[in-house]
């Protein structure tokens, strides 16, 4: 399927202004460091590129960043990595990666050997000698220089190929993750029960039409299918959900953010997404290196890119509001109608940077925050430990929450929480320096500084607005067609307790 593109890059959104009576002290004096580097010219599409360039060659030519992949660990744990690739149904080619790595390792040694010979020749020329001998050394040095240049060019190309293939290898998988497809996912928790109705149940589309909450038809004419206008009380409900979610998560020590909604393609890639792959979910801006974000996970992940953080700053916890854009390639059918699967939506996302030994603890914390919020809204839901084939490349483990949607007569996903360990940080270059330094070596030139380590990253959906609107409308519908507003949201809806027909 052809990748969706937007022509032009002039895009603007109005900002949502949020006000709360007080803020936690946890977000004071945080290390907001933005590093913006010029992209390699190889990333840009060059008109001088030969039409005969192969796809593989073009991919290598576009390579402009390097992940800090531990190739020795992969080689030493070949069988475990191969099994992980199979269990996740990944198309990564481990044998090719190992072949390229061996070739790279040997070529690197050859480059070092030739460089050493060249330096030896240069040192010889510093002394006094016959002119004929000097001339021979000059010729030898020239030949070694030319050979070294060629070897270094080959080494760079080989490194690009190695990175291209190695970056397709998914993260390792938690030992408790079920092996198999989505049907193999295990239920961790079941909360509440499905509401019982004494009248015919309506879905959110019918309810929205009667209450004048949505306009899909006009949006289809203006923007295309899977777009929508929210109207009247639906707008207030979205704002209430966003404000309530932010206030609840901030109480737990998270720093609020709004993020850029256009990011560089390289940042999307470093977070583990494929902005220009087949059936991509990412909108790429034509004739640009930028993409629209599909989740705030991407710009928040890039917030500390190419940084070394002090250990005392960890964990860093953020809660980000953004609009999200997804192509939803291949999505169709009645199960995805209405607000369930759309191209643009609002979302509140949680993100944590932490020490490696703490990531499983914070994964449990994130899913508990989600479960507590959904419970307080009175939803019937289940939490799933997702199976290996349903994990995205960055995820070590992922918990999904599915809530009962009476109009759809099924559970539907409303959130997820993923522990990505160091998969993203190795690509984004985010490390921390341990506070306790090892015993200094007499040969150490860096004093007592401990070597920096890669942080672990975690992300979780606090509120995907359209799916939450579906849940609230369908679960709280009344016989007269009105919608009860759950108690926690009423202060954010001006104290109102019901959404009813306009007279």
């Amino acid at each position: 399927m052809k990748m969706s593109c937007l022509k032009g890059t002039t895009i603007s959104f109005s900002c949502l202004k949020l006000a709360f009576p007080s803020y936690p002290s946890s977000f004071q004096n945080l290390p907001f460091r933005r590093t913006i580097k010029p992209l390699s010219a190889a990333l840009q599409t060059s008109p001088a590129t030969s039409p005969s360039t192969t796809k593989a060659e073009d991919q290598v030519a576009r390579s402009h960043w390097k992940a800090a992949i531990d190739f020795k660990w992969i080689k030493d744990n070949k069988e475990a990595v191969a099994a992980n690739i199979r269990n996740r149904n990944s198309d990564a080619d481990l044998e090719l990666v190992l072949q390229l790595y061996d070739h790279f390792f040997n070529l690197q040694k050859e480059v070092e050997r030739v460089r050493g010979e060249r330096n030896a020749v240069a040192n010889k020329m510093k002394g006094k000698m016959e002119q004929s001998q000097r001339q021979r050394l000059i010729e030898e040095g020239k030949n070694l220089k030319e050979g070294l240049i060629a070897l270094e060019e080959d080494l760079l190309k080989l490194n690009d190929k190695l990175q291209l293939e190695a970056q397709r290898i998914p993260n390792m998988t938690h030992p408790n993750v079920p092996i198999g497809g989505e049907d193999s996912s295990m239920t961790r928790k079941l909360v509440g029960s499905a509401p019982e109705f004494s009248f015919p149940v309506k879905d959110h589309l019918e309810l929205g039409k009667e209450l004048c909450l949505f306009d899909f038809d006009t949006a289809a004419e203006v923007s295309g299918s899977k777009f929508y206008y929210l109207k009247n009380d639906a707008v207030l409900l979205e704002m209430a959900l966003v404000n309530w979610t932010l206030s609840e998560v901030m109480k737990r020590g998270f720093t609020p953010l709004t993020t850029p909604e256009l990011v560089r393609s390289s940042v999307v890639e470093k977070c583990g997404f494929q902005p220009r792959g087949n059936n991509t979910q990412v909108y790429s801006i034509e004739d640009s290196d930028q993409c629209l974000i599909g989740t705030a996970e991407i710009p928040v992940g890039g917030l500390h890119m190419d940084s070394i953080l002090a250990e005392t700053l960890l964990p860093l916890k953020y809660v980000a509001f953004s609009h999200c854009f997804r192509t939803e390639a291949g999505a169709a059918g009645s199960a995805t109608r209405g607000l369930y699967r759309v191209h643009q939506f609002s979302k509140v996302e949680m993100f944590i940077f932490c020490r490696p030994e703490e990531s499983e603890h914070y994964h449990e914390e994130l899913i508990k925050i989600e479960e507590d919020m959904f419970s307080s809204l009175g939803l019937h839901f289940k939490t799933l430990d997702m199976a290996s084939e349903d994990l995205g490349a960055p995820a070590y483990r992922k918990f999904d929450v599915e809530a009962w949607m009476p109009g759809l007569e099924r559970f539907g996903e409303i959130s997820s929480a993923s522990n990505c360990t160091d998969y993203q940080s190795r690509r984004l270059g985010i490390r921390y320096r341990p506070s306790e330094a090892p015993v200094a070596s007499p040969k150490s030139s860096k004093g007592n500084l401990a070597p920096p380590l890669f942080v672990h990253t975690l992300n979780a959906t606090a509120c995907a607005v359209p799916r939450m609107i579906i849940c609230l409308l369908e679960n709280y519908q009344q016989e007269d067609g009105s919608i009860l507003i759950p108690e926690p949201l009423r202060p954010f809806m001006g104290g109102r307790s019901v959404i009813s027909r306009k007279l």
Side-chain angles (χ1 to χ4, degrees):
M1 184 173 183
K2 186 177 179 181
M3 179 179 63
S4 300
C5 294
L6 299 179
K7 294 184 178 180
T9 59
T10 305
I11 300 175
S12 64
F13 300 100
S14 59
C15 293
L16 177 65
K17 294 185 178 180
L18 303 167
F20 299 97
S22 62
Y23 291 84
S25 60
S26 60
F27 71 95
Q28 301 295 329
N29 302 319
L30 284 172
F32 290 91
R33 172 183 172 182
R34 297 181 183 275
T35 304
I36 301 177
K37 296 183 177 181
L39 291 183
S40 165
L43 177 63
Q44 309 299 327
T45 303
S46 172
T49 301
S50 169
S52 62
T53 302
T54 66
K55 183 177 180 180
E57 288 172 338
D58 183 60
Q59 284 179 311
V60 170
R62 288 174 179 270
S63 179
H64 57 282
W65 61 271
K66 301 291 185 291
I69 296 172
D70 190 341
F71 290 104
K72 184 179 185 303
W73 187 92
I74 292 175
K75 186 173 182 178
D76 291 344
N77 296 272
K78 175 182 175 180
E79 293 182 1
V81 175
N84 185 61
I85 289 171
R86 290 193 301 271
N87 290 340
R88 296 176 72 132
N89 197 27
S90 169
D91 62 357
D93 191 338
L94 178 60
E95 289 300 327
L96 178 57
V97 170
L98 294 176
Q99 289 173 14
L100 289 170
Y101 174 63
D102 286 339
H103 188 187
F104 176 83
F105 184 76
N106 292 331
L107 186 57
Q108 192 173 43
K109 290 202 299 187
E110 179 64 11
V111 166
E112 291 170 357
R113 185 190 66 79
V114 174
R115 187 178 289 129
E117 289 186 6
R118 183 191 173 199
N119 290 339
V121 168
N123 288 332
K124 288 180 182 179
M125 292 182 64
K126 293 178 182 179
K128 292 183 178 181
M129 63 188 71
E130 296 291 332
Q131 183 60 30
S132 58
Q133 184 180 2
R134 182 174 296 278
Q135 190 60 39
R136 284 196 301 273
L137 289 175
I138 290 173
E139 288 297 321
E140 185 178 355
K142 180 180 177 182
N143 292 335
L144 287 169
K145 179 181 178 181
E146 291 174 352
L148 183 60
I149 290 173
L151 285 172
E152 288 176 336
E153 288 178 354
D154 289 344
L155 189 66
L156 286 173
K157 291 178 182 178
L158 185 58
N159 194 18
D160 283 342
K161 290 180 180 178
L162 175 59
Q163 280 282 328
L164 188 67
E165 293 298 329
Q167 287 169 20
R168 293 167 55 199
I169 297 176
N171 199 354
M172 295 302 288
T173 306
H174 191 286
N176 293 342
V177 167
I179 304 302
E182 186 176 0
D183 292 342
S184 300
S185 299
M186 301 292 291
T187 300
R188 279 171 49 101
K189 181 182 288 189
L190 184 65
V191 176
S193 58
E196 296 182 2
F197 299 94
S198 60
F199 53 88
V201 175
K202 301 172 183 177
D203 68 13
H204 72 284
L205 282 173
E206 190 174 356
L207 291 164
K209 184 176 181 180
E210 293 176 356
L211 296 169
C212 197
L213 300 179
F214 318 131
D215 188 342
F216 287 91
D217 294 337
T218 303
E221 294 178 7
V222 172
S223 302
S225 64
K226 297 187 183 298
F227 286 93
Y228 56 95
Y229 287 93
L230 293 184
K231 300 167 63 177
N232 302 313
D233 287 332
V235 178
L236 301 182
L237 186 56
E238 167 162 327
M239 299 302 176
L241 282 165
V242 170
N243 280 282
W244 172 73
T245 302
L246 283 171
S247 67
E248 287 298 307
V249 178
M250 287 167 58
K251 290 175 186 176
R252 293 161 169 85
F254 284 70
T255 300
L257 297 173
T258 59
T259 73
E261 292 170 354
L262 276 172
V263 296
R264 297 182 185 275
S265 299
S266 58
V267 178
V268 178
E269 293 169 357
K270 290 174 183 180
C271 287
F273 300 91
Q274 298 298 321
R276 302 179 192 278
N278 294 328
N279 293 323
T280 181
Q281 295 297 314
V282 180
Y283 283 105
S284 294
I285 307 301
E286 198 170 58
D287 300 323
S288 165
D289 73 319
Q290 293 176 314
C291 301
L292 287 168
I293 63 171
T295 169
E297 170 190 346
I298 297 168
V300 180
L303 186 63
H304 297 294
M305 186 167 61
D306 300 324
S307 297
I308 298 178
L309 305 168
E311 184 178 21
T312 53
L313 294 174
L314 300 179
L316 289 170
K317 300 179 178 181
Y318 297 106
V319 56
F321 168 79
S322 75
H323 298 99
C324 304
F325 305 85
R326 299 183 185 180
T327 68
E328 296 297 353
S334 60
T336 63
R337 67 186 184 275
L339 289 175
Y340 192 83
R341 201 173 294 280
V342 291
H343 291 310
Q344 176 183 337
F345 60 95
S346 301
K347 183 160 71 81
V348 180
E349 184 82 1
M350 298 180 286
F351 199 99
I352 296 178
F353 301 88
C354 70
R355 296 186 303 171
E357 61 270 24
E358 297 175 332
S359 63
E360 290 197 46
H361 164 76
Y362 287 117
H363 196 199
E364 294 291 341
E365 178 180 303
L366 287 172
I367 194 62
K368 188 176 188 307
I369 291 172
E370 292 180 343
E371 292 170 346
D372 287 349
M373 290 195 299
F374 301 146
S375 293
S376 71
L377 292 176
L379 299 181
H380 172 41
F381 64 88
K382 59 183 178 180
T383 303
L384 302 172
D385 194 347
M386 301 309 292
S388 58
E389 292 181 20
D390 202 57
L391 301 179
Y396 175 65
R397 193 179 196 181
K398 180 167 76 101
F399 301 141
D400 278 5
V401 176
E402 295 184 354
W404 180 249
M405 300 177 178
L408 294 176
E409 297 183 290
R410 67 179 179 87
F411 286 93
E413 181 188 341
I414 59 171
S415 75
S416 66
S418 298
N419 181 359
C420 297
T421 62
D422 62 356
Y423 186 93
Q424 292 176 328
S425 62
R426 283 180 174 274
R427 288 154 173 75
L428 291 162
I430 308 172
R431 297 177 291 171
Y432 76 97
R433 194 178 298 281
S435 300
E436 294 185 8
V439 178
S441 166
K443 297 182 179 179
S444 174
S445 60
K446 296 185 178 181
N448 294 327
L449 284 179
L453 305 173
F454 288 101
V455 300
H456 278 197
T457 62
L458 305 97
N459 64 84
T461 308
C463 179
V465 170
R467 302 266 176 105
M468 291 302 294
I469 289 178
I470 293 174
C471 288
L472 297 180
L473 296 186
E474 295 188 357
N475 282 283
Y476 284 97
Q477 60 182 293
Q478 304 300 299
E479 190 169 5
D480 63 359
S482 64
I483 310 294
L484 285 181
I485 300 170
E487 292 261 3
L489 296 179
R490 292 178 187 179
F492 299 89
M493 292 280 290
R496 293 174 55 191
S497 61
V498 67
I499 296 173
S500 56
R501 288 186 177 91
K502 302 295 181 184
L503 298 179

